[in-house]
Coordinates of all heavy atoms in Angstrom, one line a residue:
M1 N -123.9 95.2 -66.5 CA -125.0 95.2 -65.5 C -125.1 93.9 -64.9 O -125.0 92.8 -65.5 CB -126.3 95.6 -66.2 CG -127.5 95.6 -65.4 SD -129.0 96.0 -66.3 CE -129.8 97.0 -65.1
A2 N -125.2 93.8 -63.5 CA -125.3 92.6 -62.8 C -126.6 91.9 -63.0 O -127.6 92.5 -63.2 CB -125.1 92.9 -61.3
E3 N -126.6 90.6 -63.0 CA -127.8 89.8 -63.2 C -128.7 89.9 -61.9 O -128.1 89.8 -60.8 CB -127.5 88.3 -63.4 CG -127.0 88.0 -64.8 CD -128.0 88.2 -65.8 OE1 -129.2 87.8 -65.6 OE2 -127.7 88.7 -66.9
P4 N -130.0 90.1 -62.0 CA -130.8 90.1 -60.8 C -130.8 88.7 -60.2 O -130.9 87.7 -60.9 CB -132.2 90.5 -61.3 CG -132.1 90.2 -62.8 CD -130.7 90.3 -63.2
T5 N -130.9 88.7 -58.8 CA -130.9 87.4 -58.2 C -132.0 87.2 -57.2 O -132.1 86.3 -56.5 CB -129.6 87.2 -57.4 OG1 -129.5 88.3 -56.4 CG2 -128.4 87.1 -58.3
D6 N -133.0 88.1 -57.3 CA -134.1 88.0 -56.4 C -135.4 87.7 -57.1 O -136.5 88.0 -56.6 CB -134.2 89.4 -55.6 CG -134.5 90.6 -56.5 OD1 -134.5 90.4 -57.7 OD2 -134.7 91.7 -56.0
G7 N -135.3 87.0 -58.2 CA -136.6 86.6 -58.9 C -137.0 87.6 -59.9 O -138.0 87.4 -60.6
Q8 N -136.3 88.8 -60.0 CA -136.7 89.8 -61.0 C -136.3 89.3 -62.4 O -135.4 88.5 -62.5 CB -136.0 91.1 -60.7 CG -136.4 91.7 -59.4 CD -135.6 93.0 -59.2 OE1 -134.7 93.4 -60.0 NE2 -136.0 93.7 -58.1
K9 N -136.9 89.8 -63.4 CA -136.6 89.4 -64.8 C -135.4 90.3 -65.2 O -135.3 91.4 -64.9 CB -137.8 89.7 -65.7 CG -138.9 88.7 -65.5 CD -139.9 88.9 -66.6 CE -141.0 87.9 -66.4 NZ -142.1 88.0 -67.4
S10 N -134.5 89.6 -65.9 CA -133.4 90.3 -66.5 C -133.9 90.9 -67.9 O -135.0 90.7 -68.3 CB -132.2 89.4 -66.8 OG -132.5 88.4 -67.7
C11 N -133.0 91.6 -68.6 CA -133.3 92.2 -69.9 C -133.8 91.1 -70.9 O -134.6 91.4 -71.8 CB -132.2 93.0 -70.4 SG -131.8 94.4 -69.4
S12 N -133.3 89.9 -70.7 CA -133.7 88.8 -71.6 C -135.0 88.1 -71.3 O -135.5 87.3 -72.0 CB -132.6 87.7 -71.7 OG -132.5 87.1 -70.4
G13 N -135.6 88.6 -70.1 CA -136.9 88.0 -69.7 C -136.7 86.7 -68.8 O -137.6 86.2 -68.4
Q14 N -135.4 86.3 -68.7 CA -135.1 85.1 -67.8 C -135.0 85.5 -66.4 O -134.4 86.5 -66.1 CB -133.9 84.5 -68.3 CG -133.5 83.2 -67.6 CD -132.3 82.6 -68.1 OE1 -131.6 83.1 -69.0 NE2 -131.9 81.4 -67.6
R15 N -135.6 84.7 -65.5 CA -135.4 85.0 -64.1 C -134.4 84.1 -63.4 O -134.2 82.9 -63.9 CB -136.8 84.7 -63.3 CG -137.9 85.5 -63.8 CD -139.2 85.3 -63.0 NE -139.4 83.9 -62.7 CZ -140.3 83.5 -61.8 NH1 -141.0 84.4 -61.0 NH2 -140.5 82.2 -61.5
T16 N -133.7 84.6 -62.4 CA -132.8 83.7 -61.7 C -133.4 83.6 -60.3 O -133.7 84.6 -59.6 CB -131.4 84.4 -61.6 OG1 -130.9 84.6 -62.9 CG2 -130.5 83.5 -60.8
V17 N -133.6 82.4 -59.9 CA -134.3 82.1 -58.6 C -133.2 81.3 -57.7 O -132.7 80.4 -58.2 CB -135.5 81.3 -58.7 CG1 -136.2 81.0 -57.4 CG2 -136.5 82.0 -59.7
V18 N -133.0 81.8 -56.5 CA -132.1 81.1 -55.6 C -132.9 80.4 -54.5 O -133.8 81.0 -53.9 CB -131.2 82.2 -54.9 CG1 -130.2 81.5 -53.9 CG2 -130.4 82.9 -56.0
V19 N -132.6 79.1 -54.3 CA -133.3 78.3 -53.3 C -132.2 77.7 -52.4 O -131.3 77.0 -52.9 CB -134.1 77.2 -53.9 CG1 -134.8 76.3 -52.9 CG2 -135.1 77.7 -54.9
A20 N -132.3 78.0 -51.1 CA -131.4 77.4 -50.1 C -131.8 75.9 -49.8 O -132.9 75.7 -49.6 CB -131.4 78.2 -48.9
I21 N -130.8 75.0 -49.9 CA -131.1 73.6 -49.6 C -130.1 73.1 -48.5 O -129.0 73.6 -48.4 CB -131.0 72.8 -50.8 CG1 -129.6 72.8 -51.5 CG2 -132.1 73.2 -51.8 CD1 -129.4 71.8 -52.6
D22 N -130.6 72.2 -47.8 CA -129.8 71.4 -46.9 C -130.5 70.1 -46.6 O -131.3 69.7 -47.4 CB -129.5 72.1 -45.6 CG -130.7 72.6 -44.8 OD1 -131.8 72.0 -45.1 OD2 -130.7 73.4 -43.9
E23 N -130.2 69.4 -45.6 CA -130.9 68.1 -45.4 C -132.2 68.2 -44.5 O -132.7 67.2 -44.1 CB -129.9 67.1 -44.7 CG -128.7 66.8 -45.6 CD -127.7 65.9 -44.9 OE1 -127.9 65.5 -43.7 OE2 -126.7 65.6 -45.5
S24 N -132.6 69.4 -44.3 CA -133.8 69.6 -43.5 C -135.1 69.5 -44.3 O -135.2 69.6 -45.5 CB -133.8 71.0 -42.8 OG -134.1 72.0 -43.8
E25 N -136.2 69.2 -43.5 CA -137.5 69.1 -44.1 C -138.0 70.5 -44.6 O -138.7 70.6 -45.6 CB -138.5 68.6 -43.1 CG -139.8 68.1 -43.6 CD -140.7 67.4 -42.6 OE1 -140.1 66.6 -41.9 OE2 -141.8 67.8 -42.5
H26 N -137.5 71.5 -43.9 CA -137.9 72.9 -44.3 C -137.3 73.2 -45.7 O -138.0 73.8 -46.6 CB -137.4 73.9 -43.4 CG -137.9 73.8 -42.0 ND1 -139.3 74.1 -41.7 CD2 -137.4 73.4 -40.8 CE1 -139.5 73.9 -40.4 NE2 -138.4 73.4 -39.9
A27 N -136.1 72.8 -46.0 CA -135.5 73.1 -47.3 C -136.3 72.3 -48.4 O -136.5 72.8 -49.5 CB -134.1 72.7 -47.3
E28 N -136.7 71.1 -48.1 CA -137.4 70.3 -49.0 C -138.8 71.0 -49.4 O -139.2 71.0 -50.5 CB -137.7 68.9 -48.5 CG -138.3 68.0 -49.5 CD -138.5 66.5 -48.9 OE1 -137.8 66.2 -48.0 OE2 -139.3 65.8 -49.5
H29 N -139.4 71.5 -48.3 CA -140.7 72.2 -48.5 C -140.5 73.5 -49.4 O -141.3 73.8 -50.2 CB -141.3 72.5 -47.2 CG -141.9 71.4 -46.5 ND1 -142.9 70.6 -47.0 CD2 -141.7 70.9 -45.3 CE1 -143.2 69.6 -46.2 NE2 -142.5 69.8 -45.1
A30 N -139.4 74.2 -49.1 CA -139.1 75.4 -49.9 C -138.9 75.1 -51.3 O -139.5 75.8 -52.2 CB -137.9 76.1 -49.3
F31 N -138.2 74.0 -51.7 CA -138.0 73.7 -53.0 C -139.2 73.2 -53.7 O -139.6 73.6 -54.8 CB -136.9 72.6 -53.2 CG -136.6 72.2 -54.6 CD1 -135.8 73.0 -55.4 CD2 -137.1 71.0 -55.1 CE1 -135.5 72.7 -56.7 CE2 -136.9 70.7 -56.5 CZ -136.1 71.5 -57.2
D32 N -140.0 72.4 -53.0 CA -141.3 71.9 -53.5 C -142.3 73.1 -53.8 O -143.0 73.1 -54.8 CB -142.0 70.9 -52.6 CG -141.2 69.6 -52.5 OD1 -140.4 69.3 -53.4 OD2 -141.5 68.8 -51.5
F33 N -142.3 74.1 -52.9 CA -143.1 75.3 -53.0 C -142.7 76.0 -54.3 O -143.6 76.4 -55.1 CB -143.0 76.2 -51.8 CG -143.9 77.4 -52.0 CD1 -145.2 77.3 -51.6 CD2 -143.4 78.6 -52.5 CE1 -146.1 78.4 -51.7 CE2 -144.3 79.7 -52.7 CZ -145.6 79.6 -52.3
Y34 N -141.4 76.2 -54.5 CA -141.0 76.8 -55.8 C -141.5 76.0 -57.0 O -142.0 76.6 -57.9 CB -139.4 76.9 -55.8 CG -138.9 77.2 -57.2 CD1 -139.1 78.5 -57.8 CD2 -138.4 76.2 -58.0 CE1 -138.7 78.7 -59.1 CE2 -138.0 76.4 -59.3 CZ -138.2 77.7 -59.9 OH -137.9 77.9 -61.2
V35 N -141.3 74.7 -57.0 CA -141.7 73.9 -58.2 C -143.2 74.0 -58.4 O -143.6 74.1 -59.5 CB -141.2 72.5 -58.0 CG1 -141.8 71.5 -59.1 CG2 -139.7 72.4 -58.0
Q36 N -144.0 73.9 -57.4 CA -145.4 73.9 -57.5 C -146.1 75.2 -57.7 O -147.2 75.3 -58.3 CB -146.0 73.2 -56.3 CG -145.6 71.7 -56.2 CD -146.0 71.1 -54.9 OE1 -146.7 71.6 -54.1 NE2 -145.5 69.9 -54.6
N37 N -145.5 76.3 -57.2 CA -146.2 77.6 -57.2 C -145.5 78.8 -57.9 O -146.1 79.8 -58.2 CB -146.4 78.0 -55.7 CG -147.3 77.0 -55.0 OD1 -148.4 76.8 -55.3 ND2 -146.7 76.3 -54.0
V38 N -144.2 78.7 -58.1 CA -143.4 79.8 -58.5 C -142.8 79.6 -59.9 O -142.7 80.5 -60.7 CB -142.4 80.2 -57.5 CG1 -141.6 81.5 -57.9 CG2 -143.0 80.5 -56.1
K39 N -142.4 78.4 -60.1 CA -141.6 78.0 -61.3 C -142.3 78.5 -62.6 O -143.5 78.3 -62.8 CB -141.4 76.5 -61.4 CG -140.6 76.0 -62.6 CD -140.5 74.5 -62.5 CE -139.8 74.0 -63.8 NZ -139.9 72.6 -64.0
K40 N -141.5 79.0 -63.5 CA -141.9 79.5 -64.8 C -140.9 78.9 -65.8 O -139.7 78.8 -65.5 CB -142.0 81.0 -64.9 CG -143.1 81.6 -64.1 CD -143.2 83.0 -64.3 CE -144.3 83.6 -63.4 NZ -144.6 85.0 -63.6
P41 N -141.4 78.7 -67.1 CA -140.5 78.2 -68.1 C -139.3 79.3 -68.3 O -139.6 80.5 -68.3 CB -141.3 78.1 -69.4 CG -142.7 78.0 -68.8 CD -142.8 78.7 -67.5
G42 N -138.1 78.8 -68.5 CA -137.0 79.7 -68.7 C -136.3 80.1 -67.4 O -135.3 80.8 -67.5
D43 N -136.8 79.8 -66.3 CA -136.2 80.1 -65.0 C -134.8 79.5 -64.9 O -134.6 78.3 -65.3 CB -136.9 79.7 -63.8 CG -138.1 80.6 -63.4 OD1 -138.3 81.6 -64.1 OD2 -138.8 80.2 -62.5
S44 N -133.8 80.2 -64.4 CA -132.6 79.7 -64.0 C -132.6 79.5 -62.5 O -133.0 80.4 -61.7 CB -131.4 80.6 -64.3 OG -131.2 80.6 -65.7
V45 N -132.3 78.3 -62.0 CA -132.4 78.0 -60.6 C -131.0 77.8 -60.0 O -130.3 77.0 -60.6 CB -133.3 76.8 -60.3 CG1 -133.4 76.5 -58.8 CG2 -134.7 77.0 -60.9
V46 N -130.7 78.5 -59.0 CA -129.4 78.3 -58.3 C -129.7 77.7 -56.9 O -130.5 78.3 -56.1 CB -128.7 79.7 -58.1 CG1 -127.4 79.5 -57.3 CG2 -128.5 80.4 -59.5
L47 N -129.2 76.5 -56.7 CA -129.4 75.9 -55.4 C -128.1 76.2 -54.5 O -127.0 76.0 -55.0 CB -129.5 74.4 -55.6 CG -130.7 73.9 -56.5 CD1 -130.7 72.4 -56.6 CD2 -132.0 74.4 -55.9
V48 N -128.4 76.7 -53.3 CA -127.3 77.1 -52.5 C -127.3 76.3 -51.2 O -128.3 76.1 -50.6 CB -127.4 78.6 -52.1 CG1 -126.3 79.1 -51.2 CG2 -127.4 79.5 -53.4
T49 N -126.1 75.8 -50.8 CA -126.0 75.1 -49.6 C -124.7 75.6 -48.9 O -123.7 76.0 -49.6 CB -126.0 73.6 -49.8 OG1 -126.0 73.0 -48.5 CG2 -124.8 73.1 -50.5
V50 N -124.7 75.6 -47.6 CA -123.6 76.1 -46.8 C -123.2 75.0 -45.8 O -124.0 74.6 -45.0 CB -123.8 77.4 -46.1 CG1 -122.6 77.8 -45.2 CG2 -124.2 78.5 -47.1
P51 N -122.0 74.4 -45.9 CA -121.7 73.4 -45.0 C -121.5 73.9 -43.6 O -121.0 75.1 -43.4 CB -120.4 72.8 -45.5 CG -119.8 73.9 -46.4 CD -121.0 74.7 -46.9
E52 N -121.8 73.1 -42.6 CA -121.6 73.6 -41.2 C -120.1 73.3 -40.8 O -119.6 72.2 -41.2 CB -122.5 72.8 -40.3 CG -124.0 73.2 -40.4 CD -124.8 72.5 -39.4 OE1 -124.4 72.3 -38.3 OE2 -126.0 72.2 -39.8
H53 N -119.5 74.2 -40.2 CA -118.1 74.1 -39.8 C -118.1 74.1 -38.3 O -118.8 74.9 -37.6 CB -117.2 75.2 -40.3 CG -117.1 75.1 -41.8 ND1 -116.5 74.0 -42.4 CD2 -117.4 75.9 -42.8 CE1 -116.5 74.2 -43.7 NE2 -117.1 75.4 -44.0
Q54 N -117.2 73.4 -37.7 CA -117.0 73.4 -36.3 C -116.4 74.7 -35.9 O -115.5 75.2 -36.5 CB -116.1 72.2 -35.9 CG -115.9 72.0 -34.4 CD -115.0 70.8 -34.1 OE1 -114.2 70.4 -34.9 NE2 -115.2 70.3 -32.9
S55 N -116.9 75.2 -34.8 CA -116.4 76.5 -34.3 C -114.9 76.4 -34.0 O -114.4 75.4 -33.4 CB -117.1 76.9 -33.0 OG -116.5 78.0 -32.4
I56 N -114.1 77.5 -34.3 CA -112.7 77.5 -34.0 C -112.5 77.4 -32.5 O -111.4 77.0 -32.0 CB -112.0 78.7 -34.6 CG1 -112.5 80.0 -34.1 CG2 -112.0 78.6 -36.1 CD1 -111.7 81.2 -34.5
F57 N -113.4 77.9 -31.7 CA -113.3 77.9 -30.2 C -113.4 76.5 -29.7 O -112.8 76.1 -28.7 CB -114.3 78.8 -29.6 CG -114.1 80.2 -30.0 CD1 -115.0 80.9 -30.8 CD2 -113.0 80.9 -29.6 CE1 -114.8 82.2 -31.2 CE2 -112.8 82.2 -30.0 CZ -113.7 82.9 -30.8
N58 N -114.2 75.6 -30.3 CA -114.4 74.2 -29.9 C -113.3 73.3 -30.4 O -113.2 72.2 -29.9 CB -115.8 73.7 -30.3 CG -116.9 74.5 -29.5 OD1 -116.7 75.0 -28.4 ND2 -118.0 74.6 -30.1
S59 N -112.6 73.7 -31.5 CA -111.7 72.7 -32.1 C -110.4 72.6 -31.3 O -109.5 71.8 -31.6 CB -111.4 73.2 -33.5 OG -110.8 74.4 -33.5
C60 N -110.1 73.4 -30.3 CA -108.9 73.4 -29.5 C -108.9 72.4 -28.4 O -108.0 72.3 -27.6 CB -108.5 74.8 -29.0 SG -108.2 76.0 -30.3
E61 N -110.0 71.7 -28.2 CA -110.2 70.8 -27.1 C -109.4 69.5 -27.3 O -109.2 69.0 -28.3 CB -111.6 70.6 -26.8 CG -112.4 71.8 -26.4 CD -113.9 71.5 -26.2 OE1 -114.3 70.4 -26.1 OE2 -114.6 72.5 -26.1

């Protein structure tokens, strides 16, 4: 059975919470909101970031 990734509890009672992060102020607020309002003991937190890549159409110049 796959682990839930949307904040639902697994059979063990542990939650997996995914928080997207980058260098923006919005990401910082999202993480702070989780810590101050959502965090529970035993949570597993997955921090996700996606690097920006230059478009293949612009790289041929």
